[in-house]
Amino acid sequence: MSTLNFDANTVEPNSFEVLPAAKYIAVITDSERKATKANTGFYLKLTFEIIEGEFKGRKVFAQLNLENQNADAVRIARGELSAICRAVNIMTPKDSVEIHNLPLEITVVCKKQPDDEIRNEIKGYASKQKKAADKPEQPGNDVPPWHRK
């Protein structure tokens, strides 16, 4: 038995429901180098926290197999790390902490696992700053006012 002195009225409960597939603004709040199960390499475990919108405060995770016997896994992980670095504009980090707390857009999908459980997976990374060219054109901008209806 342990004394808690805890008031659940003062703390919001955790939610572990799957996030809807969408694009979210997030920051990396934690990173950890972990050995692979077979101890033949390592992966970088990244924790992303959503910082805007309805799901603010929720976490999503990514694992990048940066050293692995499977060359494809390494190629994919290095490509993802490159996308993250470009999205936060840190092109040559010496330590993963350098990419922490910098806003970026993540594309989250829902993926069915072999046990039929649905889990979130990050499938894309982009800069939070949108270019003017990325904004949709406003209809009628090239039509003189006297021809608009």
Side-chain angles (χ1 to χ4, degrees), residues 28-47:
I28 296 170
T29 58
D30 192 27
S31 56
E32 183 179 2
R33 178 185 166 129
K34 296 188 121 190
T36 58
K37 205 178 274 190
N39 233 4
T40 57
F42 76 92
Y43 61 92
L44 182 64
K45 181 178 180 181
L46 299 173
T47 302

Side-chain angles (χ1 to χ4, degrees), residues 3 12 19 38 44-45 59 70 77 82 85 93 109 112 115 118 124 138 141 149:
T3 304
E12 287 297 315
L19 291 169
L44 182 64
K45 181 178 180 181
K59 296 186 184 321
N70 181 330
S82 176
C85 288
V109 299
K112 190 174 185 177
D115 61 1
I118 305 293
Q138 297 297 321
N141 282 351
K149 292 184 180 181

